[in-house]
Amino acid sequence: MKRNLSIAFATSLLSGLLLYLWRLSYAFSDLAVLWLLLLAAMIFLGNWSLVIDHWLAERGIVLKPESWLSHWLSGRILAFFSSTLLVGTLVPVLAWQVLNMPAAEAAVLLGLVFSTAWLFLWARGGVGRHFMPPFDRILTLGPSAWLVGLPFAIVLFLVSWRTTSVPLSMLNATFSEAVRSGFDALPERRGWIAEVLAFGYAFKAAKLWLVVQLRDYPLVARLFNLDAALFGFLAARAGVVVTNFIDTHYDREA
């Protein structure tokens, strides 16, 4: 129990710290991306070990150890593309969301990551009584992310809906004016990060504009806030993978 809590705290605090440092420094230097690279490395390596261990376990059942195919069927290509795709999906979304995240959402996000990490470790212990490694981790990864991601996605949706404010200038703005106002939120310093972020700010401004236009249809307008709910699932997945990375290195450092 103590070990699980320690790893869950480490996962949430380390992930939160890296994202906070990214948010703090991105307006001043493109070197802020280094904080994201550290987070990306943990996600990549955490997923890599899951994919490789799964592949090796299945290969050991169907392929003879002395076969020359063992050298070629290492699973590295599958692990590389799987991990790269996961990093390419999770890190940009996490990086963008935390830039505009109020304190209430940040608190919910930390709670989500901690809960996902703890549930993954607790469930793996139970499943491990019946299943051999690495299947104890593989079988608990998806359910842990979904069981925590679903309720927290609802909470994030409600918190985002309550805390997001619409600027008065958006009430009478045209669509192009709304998009330009999104660009105005970019830092004065120009660089490749600002150019990438421009798409996110433009998307947010366009979404707010559509919400204003549909203010007489509140149920329809709420649909444009579903990205906050989707973010909950992505954050839960990231939490599980980072937990797996820290878990596999925890005892080595102890």
Side-chain angles (χ1 to χ4, degrees), residues 118-174:
W118 184 86
L119 179 61
F120 169 70
L121 295 169
W122 177 80
R124 193 202 61 182
V127 173
R129 298 190 185 97
H130 308 280
F131 293 87
M132 295 286 292
F135 296 100
D136 56 342
R137 290 181 291 149
I138 294 167
L139 292 173
T140 53
L141 186 148
S144 298
W146 275 95
L147 287 174
V148 176
L150 181 58
F152 271 91
I154 297 173
V155 173
L156 281 170
F157 174 85
L158 294 175
V159 171
S160 177
W161 180 259
R162 295 292 184 182
T163 58
T164 300
S165 59
V166 179
L168 294 177
S169 59
M170 195 71 69
L171 297 177
N172 299 313
T174 64

Side-chain angles (χ1 to χ4, degrees), residues 52-63 134-135:
I52 283 290
D53 291 348
H54 190 184
W55 175 265
L56 292 179
E58 292 187 341
R59 191 188 71 174
I61 297 174
V62 300
L63 192 66
F135 296 100

Side-chain angles (χ1 to χ4, degrees), residues 2 4 17 37 48 186:
K2 183 178 178 181
N4 290 352
L17 178 62
L37 290 178
W48 173 281
L186 288 167

Side-chain angles (χ1 to χ4, degrees), residues 6-230:
S6 297
I7 295 175
F9 272 117
T11 299
S12 54
L13 293 178
L14 185 57
S15 302
L17 178 62
L18 290 175
L19 290 173
Y20 175 73
L21 291 173
W22 147 253
R23 173 172 173 160
L24 197 65
S25 57
Y26 91 101
F28 306 104
S29 172
D30 285 346
L31 293 177
V33 76
L34 293 177
W35 305 117
L36 295 181
L37 290 178
L38 291 175
L39 180 62
M42 291 193 296
I43 294 175
F44 185 94
L45 294 174
N47 188 74
W48 173 281
S49 67
L50 283 169
V51 176
I52 283 290
D53 291 348
H54 190 184
W55 175 265
L56 292 179
E58 292 187 341
R59 191 188 71 174
I61 297 174
V62 300
L63 192 66
K64 292 183 177 180
E66 64 272 15
S67 172
W68 60 269
L69 290 174
S70 297
H71 176 72
W72 295 100
L73 300 178
S74 63
R76 291 189 179 91
I77 295 178
L78 175 63
F80 174 80
F81 282 107
S82 173
S83 301
T84 300
L85 179 62
L86 190 64
V87 167
T89 302
L90 293 180
V91 174
V93 175
L94 291 170
W96 159 247
Q97 289 286 347
V98 299
L99 290 180
N100 303 277
M101 184 175 289
E105 284 189 57
V108 173
L109 176 62
L110 285 176
L112 183 155
V113 174
F114 176 82
S115 300
T116 306
W118 184 86
L119 179 61
F120 169 70
L121 295 169
W122 177 80
R124 193 202 61 182
V127 173
R129 298 190 185 97
H130 308 280
F131 293 87
M132 295 286 292
F135 296 100
D136 56 342
R137 290 181 291 149
I138 294 167
L139 292 173
T140 53
L141 186 148
S144 298
W146 275 95
L147 287 174
V148 176
L150 181 58
F152 271 91
I154 297 173
V155 173
L156 281 170
F157 174 85
L158 294 175
V159 171
S160 177
W161 180 259
R162 295 292 184 182
T163 58
T164 300
S165 59
V166 179
L168 294 177
S169 59
M170 195 71 69
L171 297 177
N172 299 313
T174 64
F175 180 77
S176 59
E177 290 173 343
V179 172
R180 281 198 298 271
S181 71
F183 293 145
D184 292 338
L186 288 167
E188 294 182 3
R189 176 192 61 81
R190 284 294 180 260
W192 68 270
I193 290 183
E195 298 302 321
V196 173
L197 290 176
F199 294 98
Y201 281 103
F203 169 76
K204 181 181 179 181
K207 185 179 69 171
L208 286 176
W209 183 85
L210 287 171
V211 169
V212 170
Q213 304 308 308
L214 296 172
R215 56 185 178 274
D216 294 331
Y217 306 93
L219 291 178
V220 177
R222 283 187 175 89
L223 295 176
F224 293 98
N225 210 43
L226 288 178
D227 58 327
L230 176 61

